[in-house]
Amino acid sequence: MPMYQGESDPSLQALESHQDDILKRLYELKAAVDGLSKMIQTPDADLDVTNIIQASEPTALSASALDLNSVLGKDYGALKDIVVNANPTSPPLSLLVLHRLLCDHYKILSTVHTHSAVKNVPENLLKCFGEQTKTQPRHEYQLGFTLIWKNVPKTQMKFSVQRMCPIEGEGNIARFLFSLFGQKHNAVTSTLIDSWIDIATCQLKEGSSKEKAAVFRSMNSALGKSPWLVGNELTVADVVLWSVLQQTGGCSVPAPASVHRWMKACENLAPFSTALKLLK
C-alpha cells in the first residue's frame, strides 16, 4: 500500500527509482564479495588469507582502542582535544551517542561550555556529558572532548585548532568520530554506509514529505534483510539515521515495521537512550 496518496512528480519518481536501483546493486555486490571471501581456499599458499578476509568485512566495536596517534597525529605529550561547536536549538544527537561510545573505549576528559553570545541554554544540554568531575590530571586522559554551545549554522569540529579548518556538518563529523573505533570495511560496505549518511543529512533532514517517505521505504527494505542498516553490526549509518529521525520527528506517516523495530533496538542501547532524554 503506498505511503502517500495523489499524483507525484515524474522526475521525483525517477530519482527514487534510480536510488533504489543503486542501493540494490550495492547490496548485491556486498553479498557477492562476502560469498567470494568464503570460497577462497589456499591450503598450499604461504600467505595466510584469514586476516585479509576478516579485514574486508565489517567488524564489531571491540574493547581494544585504536592508536589515536595514527589518526590524530602526535602532539608529544599534549592531550588530543576534539572541540565541537553546536547550536543548542538543534542538538547533534549522533555526536552525543558517539561520545558515549568513545567513553567505553578511551579515557576521555569531557567538558561542556557555552559561548558568551548564547543565552538560556537548557540545563539538560549543559549536563549532556553528565556531571563534570575532573578527578585525574589532564595528562592521564587519552582524549579531550569539548562541546561548546554556540550560535553556528552548522555543527563544527576541530581536533587541531591551530592547524586545520573545521569539519562541518553532523554527518561528516560522525564519520570522523566513528573512525576512532578502528572498524574496517570493504569498499562496497563503506559506500553503503556513506550513501545512508548522505540520505539522512540531505533527503531525510531537508527533503519533502515524499522524499522522506521514499527513505522510509528504502530503510524498511534494508532492515528486512539485516538487523542494522548495513549488515549485522551497528555502524555510523545507524547512528546518523536515528539522530536525524529524532531531530525531524520522523515522517508524516507511521514508521514501517522493520524501521520501528530498528528504532527500538537503537534505543535499547544506553548511548542512544541517554541522548534521547535531551529532547524531553
Side-chain angles (χ1 to χ4, degrees), residues 10 15 34 38 69 77 88 96 110 115 144 153 194 204 220-221 229 239:
L15 181 62
D34 291 344
K38 294 174 183 177
N69 288 336
L96 301 180
S110 306
H115 191 270
D194 282 337
L204 185 59
N220 197 51
S221 175
L229 285 169
V239 178

Side-chain angles (χ1 to χ4, degrees), residues 93-106 108 110 128-129 145 181 269-275 277:
L93 295 185
S94 67
L95 306 191
L96 301 180
V97 171
L98 291 171
H99 167 267
R100 179 72 180 270
L101 290 170
L102 284 169
C103 286
D104 293 335
H105 285 67
Y106 303 102
I108 295 183
S110 306
C128 61
F129 291 162
F145 199 114
F181 295 114
L269 301 176
F272 290 85
S273 60
T274 301
K277 292 177 183 176

Side-chain angles (χ1 to χ4, degrees), residues 54 76 80 84 110 124-125 164 200 203 217 241 254 276:
Q54 290 177 343
Y76 302 99
K80 298 173 179 65
V84 175
S110 306
N124 59 340
L125 295 184
M164 69 172 287
Q203 192 171 341
R217 288 197 297 272
L241 259 293
L276 189 58

Side-chain angles (χ1 to χ4, degrees), residues 185 207 251:
H185 299 289
C251 195

Side-chain angles (χ1 to χ4, degrees), residues 199-214:
I199 288 171
T201 56
C202 298
Q203 192 171 341
L204 185 59
K205 191 170 187 177
E206 301 178 1
S208 66
S209 59
K210 292 180 180 180
E211 290 176 302
K212 293 176 182 178

Side-chain angles (χ1 to χ4, degrees), residues 226-244:
S226 59
W228 302 102
L229 285 169
V230 187
N232 295 321
E233 301 292 344
L234 176 79
T235 69
V236 66
D238 298 287
V239 178
V240 175
L241 259 293
W242 177 86
S243 174
V244 171

